[in-house]
Amino acid sequence: MVIVMAPEATSSDIDAVTDLVTAAGGEAFVSRGVRRTIIGLVGDAAEFASLDLRAKPGVSDVLRITAPYKLVSRENQPQRSVVEVAGVPIGGDAVTLLGGPCAVETPQQTLEAARMAQSAGAAVLRGGAFKPRTSPYAFQGLGEAGLEILAEVRATTGMPIVTEVVDVRDVDLVASYADMLQVGTRNMQNFALLQAVGEAGKPVLLKRGMSATIEEWLMAAEYIAQRGNLDIVLCERGIRTYEKATRNTLDISAVPVAQSLTHLPVIVDPSHSGGKRDLVLPLTRAALAVGADGVIVDVHPTPETALCDGPQALVPGDMEELGDVMRTLPGILGRRLVRPADTVEPALV
Ligand code: PEP
Ligand code: MN
């Protein structure tokens, strides 16, 4: 249950409500927003009903939030959130392109991939230094050396970086380099990791578990939010189905469904969904058309030598077409592409 306080409610009105709730054996979580204050209640709903909270001074509404996720629920915050990654916005009226190599391999490969992505309009660089591989014998990523390469490429290109963290023990290390922490599909329900990234002070890109329902995905986001971090971007990256023609099945309807249930931005990964280079552009168009707040793509200067996911990486020759899609389609849909120029300069202190 959520109590929405009227804009003119005073602190003592708010205290009076929380006192009543605690006296009735419940817990009250006060969330003070710019426009309104909301009090989330946990406890016995029948007991709360007997308090007649709607009639108390300063109370504007009493909502029964049926969703088990409360902080990320759109019932709690009807207006859509914008998450800033080192000043680059994701969400709102713009769409954001994120791109880069699946895995950081060398400084040159990472820089070339970053330049490729940038030429197509990418404002954020992706790249894995810690790779969650299905096989323990596959390339696991360069670790901290990979983070250093990402930091160098950020300094050269000006692109903020999103990179995956796969282990609670590495959260502080990865957060010391990254502008945004990625939690991958295989870790979507690693609750200790979700809590740790919730406390790391960096925005989080939360990929949907490959077999997770939308509700489970939002509950995973709630774990991060409950630790005080509401800067979360959701990423639909394809789910497991019986279909073998694609690596995963892009659940395109998950985008508007999730956007109706949560205020968090929702982006799409057409590379890991289709798993094939030729599908990336069609799925990118589909993602934008359905209303995604952004797209994250794998690119590689020489995918035939890639240590990870070469078959789905876009090549230099694909950048012109990707750039055309990113420059034209958002406008047709009443949106615009976030360009690096949109980056908000940090205030001088
Ligand atoms: C990735 O983006 O590098 C990745 C491993 O993606 P996912 O977790 O969606 O498989
Ligand atoms: Mn990959």
Side-chain angles (χ1 to χ4, degrees):
M1 204 176 258
V2 161
I3 315 250
V4 182
M5 300 303 290
E8 64 277 7
T10 63
S11 296
S12 48
D13 291 339
I14 295 167
D15 290 346
V17 170
T18 58
D19 288 350
L20 271 173
V21 169
T22 27
E27 281 181 283
F29 297 91
V30 179
S31 160
R32 286 187 170 82
V34 182
R35 296 183 199 173
R36 57 186 194 153
T37 292
I38 286 168
I39 308 174
L41 307 190
V42 177
D44 182 351
E47 193 71 38
F48 298 149
S50 69
L51 299 176
D52 197 15
L53 293 165
R54 203 180 292 270
K56 302 295 175 223
V59 172
S60 155
D61 209 352
V62 178
L63 305 173
R64 246 193 121 139
I65 298 209
T66 41
Y69 40 85
K70 308 208 180 294
L71 299 168
V72 306
S73 165
R74 198 145 184 201
E75 291 173 70
N76 176 5
Q77 183 190 303
Q79 72 275 17
R80 310 291 322 284
S81 292
V82 178
V83 172
E84 275 186 16
V85 182
V88 173
I90 303 180
D93 61 353
V95 298
T96 310
L97 179 63
L98 304 85
C102 174
V104 174
E105 298 165 13
T106 66
Q108 190 191 347
Q109 165 257 5
T110 307
L111 179 60
E112 282 178 32
R115 289 291 191 209
M116 282 167 63
Q118 210 169 25
S119 74
V124 177
L125 172 65
R126 62 144 290 146
F130 291 91
K131 296 303 302 175
R133 304 306 298 279
T134 302
S135 164
Y137 305 114
F139 175 59
Q140 305 285 312
L142 296 180
E144 188 168 4
L147 298 174
E148 271 164 20
I149 292 172
L150 284 169
E152 281 163 28
V153 174
R154 169 177 53 200
T156 309
T157 61
M159 299 169 87
I161 50 187
V162 55
T163 193
E164 182 161 353
V165 56
V166 299
D167 191 315
V168 172
R169 292 168 294 186
D170 296 327
V171 169
D172 289 345
L173 173 72
V174 178
S176 72
Y177 287 91
D179 299 293
M180 180 180 224
L181 298 170
Q182 179 171 323
V183 175
T185 194
R186 294 163 186 78
N187 269 318
M188 191 209 80
Q189 284 189 314
N190 180 339
F191 299 116
L193 183 64
L194 297 173
Q195 289 172 332
V197 299
E199 290 171 2
K202 290 282 163 89
V204 178
L205 181 64
L206 178 64
K207 290 194 144 191
R208 179 179 179 186
M210 62 184 86
S211 300
T213 64
I214 294 170
E215 183 170 294
E216 287 164 341
W217 189 21
L218 298 178
M219 291 304 290
E222 188 79 6
Y223 263 89
I224 300 170
Q226 193 246 356
R227 292 295 166 124
N229 185 356
L230 267 172
D231 290 333
I232 307 162
V233 174
L234 300 172
C235 179
E236 162 59 39
R237 49 77 69 201
I239 51 171
R240 270 289 159 81
T241 68
Y242 54 81
E243 183 53 66
K244 292 191 183 141
T246 46
R247 185 177 178 186
N248 294 284
T249 298
L250 175 59
D251 182 5
I252 200 74
S253 54
V255 176
V257 170
Q259 286 172 333
S260 71
L261 297 173
T262 175
H263 52 85
L264 301 176
V266 182
I267 70 168
V268 165
D269 180 341
S271 307
H272 289 83
S273 325
K276 291 180 181 158
R277 180 170 309 125
D278 290 351
L279 292 174
V280 174
L281 278 155
L283 297 182
T284 296
R285 290 191 194 91
L288 294 175
V290 85
D293 297 300
V295 175
I296 181 166
V297 292
D298 281 10
V299 303
H300 199 291
T302 53
E304 59 287 358
T305 69
L307 297 177
C308 184
D309 287 351
Q312 69 193 32
L314 293 174
V315 297
D318 294 319
M319 290 305 107
E320 199 175 320
E321 194 180 348
L322 177 64
D324 281 348
V325 170
M326 296 310 302
R327 277 184 288 272
T328 55
L329 198 45
I332 293 167
L333 297 162
R335 302 182 84 170
R336 65 187 178 83
L337 176 65
V338 170
R339 305 291 301 177
D342 291 338
T343 302
V344 181
E345 290 296 330
L348 292 174
V349 285

